Amino acid sequence: MSLIVQKYGGSSVADAESIKRVARRVVETKRAGHQVVVVVSAMGDTTDELLDLAAAIADAPPSREMDILLSSGERMSMALLAMAIHEHGETAQSFTGSQAGMITDTSHGKARIIDVSPDRVQESLDTDHIGIVAGFQGVSSESKDITTMGRGGSDTTAVALAAALNADACEIYTDVDGVFTADPRVVKSAHKIDQISSEDMLEMAAAGSKVLHLRSVEYARRFGVKLHVRSSFSQHEGTWVLPGPDDTIALQEGEPLEQPIISGVAHDDSEAKLTISGVPDVPGKAADIFNLIAQAGTNIDMIVQNVSDDTKTTNISFTLPGADIEKSVQILTDNKEQIGFEELDYVPQVGKVSLVGGGMRHHPGVSARFFTALRDAGINIGLISTSEIRVSVITDIEDLGRAVQAIHTAFGLDADQEATVYAGTGR
Amino acid sequence: MSLIVQKYGGSSVADAESIKRVARRVVETKRAGHQVVVVVSAMGDTTDELLDLAAAIADAPPSREMDILLSSGERMSMALLAMAIHEHGETAQSFTGSQAGMITDTSHGKARIIDVSPDRVQESLDTDHIGIVAGFQGVSSESKDITTMGRGGSDTTAVALAAALNADACEIYTDVDGVFTADPRVVKSAHKIDQISSEDMLEMAAAGSKVLHLRSVEYARRFGVKLHVRSSFSQHEGTWVLPGPDDTIALQEGEPLEQPIISGVAHDDSEAKLTISGVPDVPGKAADIFNLIAQAGTNIDMIVQNVSDDTKTTNISFTLPGADIEKSVQILTDNKEQIGFEELDYVPQVGKVSLVGGGMRHHPGVSARFFTALRDAGINIGLISTSEIRVSVITDIEDLGRAVQAIHTAFGLDADQEATVYAGTGR
């Protein structure tokens, strides 16, 4: 019998009616012949409301207590869902993260999973129950305290359980139909991707796609879990995110399908760009700069270094989260003399557009087509960054939408064009 | 160093402001030189709201899941209280019922405590922390499931912890100043009792006094815990409920105080009365009747049997919770032939007034004064029931308030009279 893990987020369980809707879906899945484990988030905005309550009480709440507070949200929704399933004559048992064997480190608020031992969940399935697990939480192996996993925690719980239970699929229910070739709010002609390799999905998530959290895609990739991202409001197939060797995706064993060269176009409007010019061209200067940035707690994305005109100094540019621009500018300015740079400029918001596709490894025309499309659309390119399966550029923020559309069309991804670009067509 | 367990109910932790107020009180207690353990209920009406949510989802929710749902309320308030205490520069650690070692049976929704092993709480105290424990919940030793304890559960948690930790006192915080000689809403001249034996308090609670739950008083009595019932809105001393041998209450070792003969007057307006007349006077008939009532799930309070006029049959009257009158009448009526009684009458609501006082064991004038006072007030007496330290009568519901006042005055309990009646005065 196949086993499916289903994850429902906050908006899917926002109130009594929604919970009943989810229960119907879960029961249908079981009656279609599957074993089912359901991972739930807290109802609606509960987590944010609990954060507000904590903020009204304390400026710097101890993280252990914060996790105890936040984890109560999932406990409520899991118990209510179990009751709703029971009304259909099916039996469900709910488990906290701890009871489900989600063992984490002690990093309260952003705990990492170190082991999953879902014995009680397995027992529940073996005795013909539906298992329900509170997402977003685990227990610290050291301190035995409850921990929460940070953003994307419920998705990660679902994938980790699917891996540990050897599930046939992990369904992530959300309020869109799946992963699209570009954000449909930016590109009207974007269409839903039927299958995407987890490698490509990783790049899409890292490059700005918000449908799936990077962390859960990483986990699925590493442990070979098949993800199915779909809408909780319809019965349509969504997007399958499939782990597999390069260039092939197998929905079932032994059935390789042609992999499209290109999966889609991701964009990100949350970054700022900082340029430090006239940096003395001596060893260690870049290290000094990035150590300072790290001290400020800032994560850097793209980095570009070039010699400057006089060739005795270099210019270093990099992108970073827009929210971190002030403290980063501050720490560099405070240390200007020690580093010895001439000038520091920044743009508080830039656009980043990325083309993603595992197939570009073996198809050299991709970069050329990419830059041609941007030139033809009259879009200025700032920094460029590539990986084996991704090409990204920084644009002015005003140009971002047009850039995404131009790339989308140039690679035949528009819904009214011929399907996706396939290997071997030489396009 | 002395150890105090403090319990705060839902209205004491209803919102952020209230929680901060409780935190100040807890911190003051610690800084006055005590070790402190705090037991908290869920915020405000949270428990009732969760029950409503469950009712919107399921007609007959499974009890295991109901306990998981309900227990999340206390988890929220305990975490928030810990945060509020932390703001004062004190450290607090919060514990679920399970983590605090409250081991119960598996009766979900009405679990009984079978063991208390508060090792983690003790460790917390030993390392100079304030311990916070979620009230109302424990863990089943058999199934490892979370259980909740039913009404009065938080009080019971507090008393059980106080017993297991050998606390010097267990303070029960509420919204009245303490236990009164009668309900001040019924008897304006009622006054707060300074000390009462737990034996008397037990009778008061059983006879209708709502300030403390019967269960927690029982527990305190059995394990020798000193209770202090007081207001969370003032610093006044409340009522000490003290375990001790008959006739003496020792606030401190070796300091016996005179025990008042009478503690107070309790009343109850929640009962109905049922009379079965013409029951054949043969062995076993009473057993038949009470077995049927037990089958209907009804708890009986007072029972009176008398021979009837013809002395070949008997009349049996008893009181029961008003909510159970219909099903009790039903089951008796359905079995009328088999029991063979002639008539069944009932009064849906009666009054019950009780005089309570350990001293009445040794002072024979009490019953006489009691019935005289009622006669002088022109109050009809229905059933009579006595124990060593309590006299109770059933009255018409309309007479209940006057009956309470009459007894209160007759025994010198009115606030404008001379104090309480003391042993040896011959009154």
Side-chain angles (χ1 to χ4, degrees), chain A residues 96-109:
Chain A
T96 61
S98 170
Q99 293 170 324
M102 306 295 296
I103 316 290
T104 72
D105 62 16
T106 50
S107 304
H108 286 290

Side-chain angles (χ1 to χ4, degrees), chain A residues 40-52:
Chain A
V40 280
S41 301
M43 293 170 66
D45 296 324
T46 300
T47 305
D48 289 330
E49 285 163 10
L50 291 172
L51 288 165
D52 288 344

Side-chain angles (χ1 to χ4, degrees), chain A residues 276 278-279 281 304-309 313-317 383:
Chain A
I276 311 170
V279 180
D281 190 13
V304 168
Q305 173 172 294
N306 249 334
V307 289
S308 78
D309 302 330
T313 62
T314 68
N315 298 334
I316 297 179
S317 289
L383 311 184

Side-chain angles (χ1 to χ4, degrees), chain A residues 44-80:
Chain A
D45 296 324
T46 300
T47 305
D48 289 330
E49 285 163 10
L50 291 172
L51 288 165
D52 288 344
L53 207 39
I57 277 179
D59 291 328
S63 57
R64 176 187 185 269
E65 307 303 333
M66 185 60 93
D67 274 357
I68 292 168
L69 179 69
L70 294 181
S71 64
S72 52
E74 285 74 29
R75 295 164 69 89
M76 284 190 276
S77 45
M78 79 180 191
L80 289 166

Side-chain angles (χ1 to χ4, degrees), chain B residues 242-377:
Chain B
L242 301 167
D246 302 336
D247 288 345
T248 60
I249 307 175
L251 225 97
Q252 297 177 20
E253 295 294 344
E255 258 189 49
L257 297 159
E258 285 280 358
Q259 178 185 359
I261 298 174
I262 296 305
S263 286
V265 185
H267 76 276
D268 193 335
D269 59 7
S270 70
E271 299 200 325
K273 181 181 81 171
L274 203 149
T275 301
I276 311 171
S277 32
V279 180
D281 190 14
V282 296
K285 284 297 169 189
D288 287 344
I289 288 169
F290 296 125
N291 276 329
L292 283 171
I293 296 296
Q295 273 180 52
T298 298
N299 282 332
I300 293 180
D301 182 18
M302 297 164 66
I303 303 172
V304 168
Q305 174 172 295
N306 248 335
V307 290
S308 77
D309 302 329
D310 63 10
T311 70
K312 289 202 188 62
T313 62
T314 67
N315 296 334
I316 298 178
S317 288
F318 55 89
T319 63
L320 62 159
D324 294 343
I325 191 66
E326 281 191 37
K327 59 179 178 176
S328 306
V329 167
Q330 188 65 54
I331 202 169
L332 288 169
T333 307
D334 291 347
N335 288 275
K336 182 176 178 181
E337 266 197 52
Q338 175 232 329
I339 304 171
F341 62 85
E342 280 168 23
E343 249 185 75
L344 189 152
D345 296 295
Y346 68 93
V347 182
Q349 190 186 21
V350 293
K352 178 181 170 188
V353 56
S354 307
L355 179 73
V356 176
M360 72 173 75
R361 265 187 192 91
H362 309 292
H363 294 86
V366 170
S367 295
R369 187 187 301 200
F370 181 85
F371 291 109
T372 301
L374 289 172
R375 180 203 66 194
D376 290 348

Side-chain angles (χ1 to χ4, degrees), chain A residues 266-277:
Chain A
H267 76 277
D268 192 335
D269 58 9
S270 69
E271 299 200 324
K273 181 181 81 173
L274 203 148
T275 301
I276 311 170
S277 29

